[in-house]
Amino acid sequence: MTYVVIDSCIACKYTDCVEVCPVDCFYEGENMLVIHPDECIDCGVCEPECPVDAIRSDTEPGMETWVEFNRKYSEIWPVIFERSDPLPDAESHEGEDGKLEKYFSEKPGQGT
């Protein structure tokens, strides 16, 4: 089992999860985070920290696509292990549908 980040994170990028991760397996894109599925130790401490329910177990139905998505971007984006402020308009995007198609950016974030 591993955890992955889904599209709920896009355009919000809360980083509370990063601060509690004991293995630094989060990677930062311009407007979202991902988890490297091979580095995640399945401890689950990050999941309850996400205010937008964007972290899911790969054992949930339909997560296969998200595992590959997280793997792809964790291999090209920089690692992030320190909490930072969410995106300026994060609250206005919470719970919004279609965020992957509307807002996703392949550009890397700054990392820490």
Side-chain angles (χ1 to χ4, degrees):
M1 185 175 88
T2 188
Y3 287 88
V4 294
V5 179
I6 63 169
D7 57 343
S8 302
C9 184
I10 298 171
C12 292
K13 199 166 77 169
Y14 290 100
T15 58
D16 307 70
C17 53
V18 169
E19 194 170 55
V20 298
C21 180
V23 294
D24 301 334
C25 64
F26 281 88
Y27 292 79
E28 182 182 21
E30 180 180 43
N31 66 355
M32 78 172 294
L33 304 174
V34 293
I35 295 172
H36 195 301
D38 297 333
E39 295 174 2
C40 176
I41 60 169
D42 314 327
C43 68
V45 297
C46 60
E47 187 179 25
E49 298 300 317
C50 182
V52 293
D53 193 30
I55 300 173
R56 302 286 175 82
S57 168
D58 71 340
T59 59
E60 290 184 31
M63 289 297 116
E64 299 84 12
T65 301
W66 287 108
V67 170
E68 291 312 310
F69 181 95
N70 277 245
R71 183 181 317 282
K72 175 182 178 178
Y73 290 101
S74 65
E75 292 176 359
I76 56 177
W77 289 348
V79 70
I80 179 172
F81 51 85
E82 292 179 354
R83 188 181 181 283
S84 60
D85 291 333
L87 296 175
D89 55 350
E91 286 185 22
S92 67
H93 292 291
E94 288 180 23
E96 187 176 339
D97 291 330
K99 291 167 64 169
L100 183 63
E101 296 79 18
K102 288 190 241 180
Y103 306 117
F104 176 68
S105 169
E106 291 188 347
K107 294 179 184 175
Q110 294 183 4
T112 52

